Amino acid sequence: MKQNKKVLVIEPDLVFGKNIANILEKECFIATLTSSASQAIEIIEKNIPDLIIISSQLPRHNSTEFLYEIRSYRDLKNIPVIILSIYPEDFIQPNYKALKAMNTEVLLLDSIAKISHLPDRIHSIFSLNAK
Amino acid sequence: MGSGTDWVSESEDLLTSIALELRLPLLQIKTAIETDKQTKELHDQILQSTDSGLRVLEAFVLSSTLYHGRQIPLEPMSIGVILEETAHQLDIFAKTHDVVLAVEMSKNIPPILTYRKGVVSAFTCLTQSVIRSQPGSNLILSASTNSGRIQAGIYGIADRSFNKKSLELARKLTGRANQPLPTLSSNSVSGIMVADRLLAIIADPLKISSKHFSKGLCTTFPISQQLSLV
């Protein structure tokens, strides 16, 4: 099923990021990969994605700061965001719970998680937002 | 070098840092398998990921072994050969991170007196960590003479806020913070910290230096007097 939905992946580790992008592209998403928040802002300014996947840890920036920044732009207020975190939610900054209410989900990368399930997660987000 | 108690405490912190960082190669392997890549590509990626984890572990074990009284077999050697060996070992790793890794040497550098295995281990750990944190960049392994010693390191870090203070803070935060060196990397930079510890035993601890219009991490070695007399 052709998707044509654009997904921006912000992941500092290029190898891991490419694997995520590969999985998304197999499901016909158009994946753009970048390793930093500053590059992500530049990309978004040129071409707004339909969804953003971001690592909870970024060099020089905090993913929460990035989220607050994009949420401050009118065009990006409601864009769905998935945060990839290696830390359990209980230990994530309390901000993340608040951000969940702002169309932001947290995907915990533990031993049970499968990145191959990410496209399904994205489908359900788009379905919910379409209602 | 600190007291025995400091060493144990530092070792625990470093082990925590290594544990945090080892998640990354394991995640890389897991997601590579999930992408259902062609066999050769999958094998190559798994190999790179496992090697990257093993390098850090081996360097840590070596540093602990050397600390606990084992006599260090010093020998004269060419730093250029060591840098070339490092670049060769990490050639594919650099390419997978879109990094161009080059070796640049000043002319007529005399041999250094050091422990070869330790230096190679430290430099591969250090370089690997910097490569991972600087995807898409040009990095240079370089050596030159400086104040009667040989200075060698990796350069090409563009961030101007990467400085002596950030390195000192990283040493204190290792194992206690998820990102002890946020100006350079989003992960625990255990490769840099393990290299730092190993080099502190066999040469000098890492320091920040500027070269090639960029910042870098380097150490210094004594010049071998043995061959100078020949």
Side-chain angles (χ1 to χ4, degrees), chain A residues 76-130:
Chain A
L76 307 177
K77 232 177 182 134
N78 296 313
I79 190 168
V81 174
I82 297 177
I83 299 170
L84 300 178
S85 173
I86 60 172
Y87 301 101
E89 282 186 40
D90 290 347
F91 296 103
I92 292 173
Q93 294 167 40
N95 290 344
Y96 282 173
K97 289 187 180 173
L99 289 169
K100 266 186 172 179
M102 296 161 64
N103 215 2
T104 303
E105 290 198 17
V106 179
L107 177 61
L108 179 60
L109 297 174
D110 59 10
S111 54
I112 304 168
K114 287 187 182 300
I115 288 294
S116 55
H117 292 169
L118 196 52
D120 288 340
R121 191 83 171 255
I122 296 173
H123 287 319
S124 61
I125 290 170
F126 284 139
S127 298
L128 271 169
N129 284 353

Side-chain angles (χ1 to χ4, degrees), chain B residues 191-213:
Chain B
I192 293 174
M193 293 300 123
V194 167
D196 187 39
R197 191 158 103 147
L198 192 45
L199 289 167
I201 299 171
I202 59 177
D204 284 334
L206 287 171
K207 62 179 183 181
I208 307 283
S209 140
S210 295
K211 210 176 190 182
H212 307 288
F213 304 106

Side-chain angles (χ1 to χ4, degrees), chain B residues 151-172:
Chain B
Q151 180 169 298
I154 178 150
Y155 299 87
I157 298 164
D159 198 323
R160 288 181 187 178
S161 58
F162 182 60
N163 55 28
K164 183 181 171 185
K165 262 188 184 173
S166 48
L167 182 60
E168 282 169 2
L169 192 57
R171 288 184 176 119
K172 289 176 188 168

Side-chain angles (χ1 to χ4, degrees), chain B residues 1-76:
Chain B
M1 293 288 297
S3 69
T5 310
D6 288 344
W7 181 266
V8 168
S9 161
E10 283 170 14
S11 292
E12 282 176 8
D13 290 338
L14 197 46
L15 277 170
T16 304
S17 175
I18 291 170
L20 284 170
E21 188 149 337
L22 280 179
R23 293 186 73 118
L24 186 58
L26 292 172
L27 266 173
Q28 288 172 350
I29 292 167
K30 187 177 171 179
T31 52
I33 292 167
E34 286 188 66
T35 59
D36 195 29
K37 284 182 177 174
Q38 296 301 312
T39 304
K40 187 185 180 313
E41 198 182 343
L42 182 62
H43 282 176
D44 288 346
Q45 189 172 128
I46 289 174
L47 200 60
Q48 288 302 312
S49 296
T50 50
D51 282 349
S52 71
L54 284 170
R55 283 183 198 116
V56 175
L57 289 173
E58 285 163 3
F60 176 77
V61 170
L62 188 57
S63 70
S64 293
T65 305
L66 292 174
Y67 176 79
H68 291 292
R70 182 182 159 177
Q71 196 170 5
I72 303 173
L74 300 178
E75 53 178 323

Side-chain angles (χ1 to χ4, degrees), chain A residues 13-108:
Chain A
D13 184 74
L14 201 59
V15 173
F16 183 43
K18 280 180 182 173
N19 288 344
I20 296 173
N22 282 342
I23 286 169
L24 295 176
E25 281 165 2
K26 278 204 163 93
E27 293 292 320
C28 299
F29 291 106
I30 302 168
T32 304
L33 176 62
T34 181
S35 60
S36 74
S38 50
Q39 284 177 1
I41 296 288
E42 288 174 17
I43 292 169
I44 290 169
E45 278 174 359
K46 291 175 189 167
N47 195 358
I48 297 175
D50 297 299
L51 183 138
I52 298 173
I53 295 172
I54 183 169
S55 171
S56 61
Q57 289 183 211
L58 300 171
R60 296 178 294 281
H61 290 100
N62 180 298
S63 58
T64 311
E65 291 168 356
F66 173 81
L67 277 161
Y68 275 119
E69 179 168 353
I70 64 166
R71 290 293 183 234
S72 68
Y73 302 146
R74 189 180 294 180
D75 294 345
L76 307 177
K77 232 177 182 134
N78 296 313
I79 190 168
V81 174
I82 297 177
I83 299 170
L84 300 178
S85 173
I86 60 172
Y87 301 101
E89 282 186 40
D90 290 347
F91 296 103
I92 292 173
Q93 294 167 40
N95 290 344
Y96 282 173
K97 289 187 180 173
L99 289 169
K100 266 186 172 179
M102 296 161 64
N103 215 2
T104 303
E105 290 198 17
V106 179
L107 177 61
L108 179 60

